[in-house]
Structure formats: structure tokens, C-alpha cells
Amino acid sequence: MAAKDLDVLSMSPEELETSVAEIGEPRFRGRQLFEWLWQHGATSYDDITVWPKTLRASMAPRLPLKRLVAEKVQQAQDGTTKLLLRLDDGNRVETVLLPHPYGYSVCVSSQVGCNMGCHFCASGILGKRRNLTAGEMLDQVRYANQILGKRGQKVSRVDLMGIGEPLDNYDAMVKFLLLLHHPLGFQLSYRHVTVSTSGLVPAIYRLADEGMPVTLAVSLHAPTDALRLTLMPVNKAYPLSQLIGACLYYGETTGRRVTFEYLMLDGVNDSLENARELVNLVHDFSCHVNLIPWNRVEEHPFKPSPMARVRQFQQLVQDRGISCTIRKELGQEIDAACGQLRRREEEILR
Ligand code: SF4
């Protein structure tokens, strides 16, 4: 591959050393480049002020950087910020910054669209167009840091919970996690990273064995196969018995407590009987249940559960000794469900 076609943003320092040497520059410039891309957030070679001007000017045509560009930034009063970012090929992804008492988390997308077809999700409506590269995922974090830098803050946690199924883009995801953790880059502890999945069982086993103890968040949303099948087609390939087995293995291997995400849909999965079924399903191991109030998506028929019912559901799960919280709703005035901002833009442009 010609140097100008290389995916610079997805490269490790060692890979950059090799590529830089191949275009006739000293190897150490590769390590410097990695440091400046991710630790200093350089948006172009011009920003690398430790390099001579002639080198900076000559690098862009030889080893182009394909940074993400913000097309839209929406900020809510509570600090929640939603970004619509354009990729080099014109596709778009969403990234969301969320304020917490401990700092900011950033919700990163892993694919353009998604093929998992969950019936409650805006992102699935357009289907998957392509996987993101490791560099395109990293650049979402860099962009989040650029915005937070103006508020005197930086990203404290990364959640792979945006558009896409991260485990369906496995190799790029693992490279992203490695580079995110790299001592010359963001240096983010694996313990401050969450990977969310709809339940791709073989990939959960694989991730457990990677030696990267990230938090696994499983989108459960139903306590029985019959009900889950009506919400999530993935349950056909990987029913709950297999999914729970994989979660047990993940918890035992990594020492990390698995989180189960559970959308509260009025009259669908929010009864006390459903809560008892959920307890029976997960009571065997150390886990956490996160109840998520539903955000309306125009095309989907679901309605949010009344908050009183959400609290009763939570109480029952807690009373059986399982840690259970209700996700706080952030960014109400800008908050469409994940994927809606991109979809709206695509519709306008169609
Ligand atoms: S909920 Fe997640 S896995 Fe399911 S369709 Fe949406 S983005 Fe894909």
C-alpha cells in the first residue's frame, strides 16, 4: 500500500515508526507523531511544534491525516453534548459527552449504522454501512477532549455504547482499546472503559481472554427468550442460556462485574413478574442491573414505563440482593435516542 493510503490514525507507535522510516524520516518521528496525535490532540502536522517547519510542511502529502470533522454540535444545559462527526468518506457518526459527578464520559460509535436490528433502536433503521477503524473510534475521544479542554476538563471514561455493535467489529475494537490504553496516548485504564454488546456470545468469550479487563455491558432488555426474541433478533442465534454462560465466564476470567442494561418499555417488559424472571436469570453471579427509561423513537411503537413502575421494578430486584440502578436521563432537550441525530441528517440529505 502506498504511504499516502495508510490509515495513520489506527497505527501503534511501532507501526508509525516503520511507516515514517519508509518515507525516509528517522524512526523516532513515528513515536513523536503518535504522542502528538493522541496526547496533545494535534489536528494537523502544523500543530507538532517540536518538528522543524520544513518537516511539518512535507508530511501531509506523504502521510495524510484523516481527522474527523464536526458537522453539528448540540449542547444541553446540563453539559451533555452531542456531536455529529463526518468521516473521510462522507459517512457520519454520533458521539456523546455525558457529565457525571466524577467527570465526563464519552459514548463512542463503533460502526456506521448497525445490522443487529434491535426493534427499539434508531441506529438499526438504516442498517450497517461499514465498520469504523480503530483510528476513527480514537478520534471521537480526541474530539471529545478538544471540547472538554475548553471547559478545563478531559474524558474520564469511554463507553463503546454509541451506534453499532462493537463486537461485530472485533479486530478494530481491540486495537482501539489497546491504543486508548497506550502509555504514549490517552493512557486510559481498561477499568475506565465499557464495551456494550447485544449479546454476541463467541466474541464475549474471546474478549474475556484478551487480558483487557474492560467492563462488559450486555443489552438484556428481557428476562425470557420468548420476550427477548420479540425485541432483539440476536437472541435467535444466541439464546439467554448461552448468553448468561458467556457472561459468567467473562466475570470469572476478568474479575469484572458484568452490567445488564434493561430498557423499561411500558407494558412490554416492565411488570413485577418480569422483575422476578430477571432475578432468576442473573442471581447466580455478581452483576449489576441498569434500568434505562425509554426515549421515544418516532418509528417505534413503544412507550416509556411510568417512573413509579420503574422504581417498583428496581426495588424488587434490589430486595433480592442484586445491585440495581435507574439511569439518570441527561441532555433532555437534545436527547433523541442514540442514532437519531445521524438518521435525521441522512433523511434531510436524501
Ligand atoms: S441497540 Fe445497539 S446493537 Fe441493537 S441495533 Fe441499536 S446500535 Fe445495534
Side-chain angles (χ1 to χ4, degrees), residues 255-274:
R256 306 288 290 150
R257 189 172 68 162
V258 174
T259 295
F260 291 107
E261 306 284 351
Y262 197 101
L263 267 175
M264 295 297 286
L265 305 172
D266 184 30
V268 175
N269 63 354
D270 62 346
S271 68
L272 291 183
E273 178 56 21
N274 294 140

Side-chain angles (χ1 to χ4, degrees), residues 91-143:
N91 275 307
R92 300 173 177 79
V93 290
E94 281 181 33
T95 306
V96 184
L97 280 78
L98 297 158
H100 305 279
Y102 59 78
Y104 274 84
S105 67
V106 58
C107 184
V108 169
S109 292
S110 57
Q111 297 177 318
V112 181
C114 182
N115 270 350
M116 302 315 292
C118 304
H119 296 322
F120 46 79
C121 174
S123 305
I125 291 171
L126 296 177
K128 179 176 102 173
R129 231 174 252 174
R130 74 168 172 86
N131 286 328
L132 295 194
T133 65
E136 287 167 337
M137 289 183 253
L138 270 184
D139 215 23
Q140 294 174 61
V141 182
R142 189 270 312 166
Y143 217 110

Side-chain angles (χ1 to χ4, degrees), residues 204-206 208-209 244-255 285:
I204 293 174
Y205 281 106
R206 216 174 142 192
D209 291 333
I244 296 299
C247 293
L248 264 168
Y249 181 79
Y250 190 89
E252 281 165 8
T253 310
T254 61
F285 62 111

